[in-house]
Amino acid sequence: MYKKKLRGMYISKKVLKHHFDPCKAPRDAYLLCKLQWGETGTPWIHWVKNERYHAEVYFLEKIFKMRRSYNYVNCSITWYLSWSPCADCCRKILNFLKKNSNVNIDIYVARLYYIEDEKIRQGLQNLVSLAEVTIAVMETEDYTFCLKNFIQGGADDDSWTVGFQSEITKNRLKLKDVFEDLPFIES
């Protein structure tokens, strides 16, 4: 029997190109992750697709617990999301970080999920107000990193991002508008 793959180490080039294209609006959300324990730990990569859970929640509640280090070493998580987190995911990420003070998360998004919704804006603001979180729009070099690190055997096709820059710029300006009134936090 065929079973849909919802998570793993590598993603197909076709899925990456379709779901992370900021000019498109696919229904599914994907999360690509690089997780590293301590300064010298070997980075671990993984991807998750939303199905019964939102991808962020699935990662925090299932994957992170499975990969957890119990010696309380600092943990750096970098997420590349096809959509920015919804209000509920923002709340769950915030609660997770309050319980796991040794974790920091850098979030890069391909596109913004209902960014005009006040609850989502507030959720993103609450996340960014923590020193442990950064949120930014994916830039061309982030797409290149994902292509080289989340595709088995890597890939060198930089041409797939041609035409992304205008959407990247629009999304960056929208996200800047969300965070405009927040106080500056030194990290």
Side-chain angles (χ1 to χ4, degrees):
M1 181 165 98
Y2 174 75
K3 185 177 178 183
K4 281 197 291 185
K5 192 163 183 181
L6 304 176
R7 62 186 180 90
M9 189 169 168
Y10 296 110
I11 194 167
S12 78
K13 189 188 296 188
K14 180 181 176 182
V15 167
L16 180 68
K17 288 182 174 186
H18 177 72
H19 288 278
F20 283 82
D21 183 337
C23 305
K24 296 180 180 175
R27 187 174 185 273
D28 293 324
Y30 280 79
L31 176 152
L32 308 179
C33 172
K34 184 178 90 169
L35 181 145
Q36 183 167 345
W37 290 102
E39 301 284 321
T40 58
T42 302
W44 180 78
I45 63 168
H46 201 76
W47 68 268
V48 177
K49 174 186 171 191
N50 68 325
E51 192 66 24
R52 283 177 263 146
Y53 294 89
H54 283 201
E56 304 93 325
V57 174
Y58 186 86
F59 179 87
L60 297 174
E61 293 180 359
K62 307 286 185 195
I63 305 295
F64 183 81
K65 286 182 181 172
M66 180 177 70
R67 297 295 302 180
R68 186 178 187 135
S69 168
Y70 289 98
N71 57 5
Y72 299 100
V73 172
N74 286 341
C75 178
S76 297
I77 298 173
T78 304
W79 281 349
Y80 299 92
L81 294 167
S82 58
W83 288 99
S84 60
C86 69
D88 191 47
C89 286
C90 287
R91 184 179 51 78
K92 289 180 179 181
I93 295 165
L94 198 64
N95 290 338
F96 168 84
L97 289 169
K98 287 178 182 176
K99 293 177 189 168
N100 296 277
S101 59
N102 62 321
V103 176
N104 70 319
I105 302 178
D106 294 324
I107 301 171
Y108 298 94
V109 300
R111 64 186 74 74
L112 303 170
Y113 180 76
Y114 292 108
I115 199 64
E116 304 307 323
D117 181 294
E118 194 52 44
K119 287 182 182 175
I120 292 173
R121 293 171 73 89
Q122 187 62 56
L124 293 170
Q125 289 171 351
N126 291 344
L127 274 180
V128 150
S129 70
L130 294 177
E132 298 87 3
V133 177
T134 57
I135 302 176
V137 170
M138 288 177 70
E139 299 289 340
T140 306
E141 56 270 14
D142 299 313
Y143 288 99
T144 302
F145 176 86
C146 290
L147 190 65
K148 289 181 178 176
N149 291 281
F150 292 99
I151 304 293
Q152 190 160 15
D156 292 325
D157 179 16
D158 287 343
S159 66
W160 73 290
T161 59
V162 171
F164 283 17
Q165 196 56 53
S166 65
E167 285 301 314
I168 289 171
T169 302
K170 280 186 221 174
N171 287 334
R172 192 180 326 114
L173 291 171
K174 287 178 185 178
L175 195 59
K176 182 181 176 200
D177 180 56
V178 170
F179 301 144
E180 197 145 85
D181 297 328
L182 290 177
F184 176 73
I185 300 172
E186 279 202 46
S187 41

